[in-house]
Amino acid sequence: MSRICYDRAEQYMVIRLKTTYYHYCEIDPATVQGLQGAGSKRQFFEARIRGSGSDGPFDCRTHPIPKKYRR
């Protein structure tokens, strides 16, 4: 994980894993703070944020993308 960008007001996060950016919607500040402060960001990410299959707790495919970030 080489970059974490978070818009607290919109509860929207973009992270960079290797060379790919991933978007997460309706992600609460406490979860993002936990990720940023985790001893192992990878373990925290896999346990609390990453989805399995076509959905996850903050997956933008099933949670609304903030209006200002829609194309």
Side-chain angles (χ1 to χ4, degrees):
M1 191 170 308
S2 60
R3 187 165 190 167
I4 301 170
C5 301
Y6 183 60
D7 181 336
R8 184 183 194 103
E10 298 291 338
Q11 294 191 322
Y12 180 71
M13 180 177 75
V14 178
I15 63 171
R16 184 176 176 195
L17 302 175
K18 295 185 181 180
T19 60
T20 304
Y21 287 91
Y22 296 90
H23 304 255
Y24 296 91
C25 297
E26 295 186 342
I27 186 165
D28 59 282
T31 299
V32 176
Q33 286 175 340
L35 174 64
Q36 291 172 326
S40 171
K41 287 178 178 45
R42 180 180 183 169
Q43 286 180 342
F44 186 94
F45 173 78
E46 297 215 0
R48 302 276 312 273
I49 298 171
R50 184 178 206 159
S52 59
S54 63
D55 191 18
F58 309 107
D59 196 311
C60 290
R61 291 175 287 187
T62 55
H63 295 80
I65 297 170
K67 192 172 186 174
K68 75 181 201 180
Y69 293 107
R70 294 182 203 158
R71 293 185 193 198

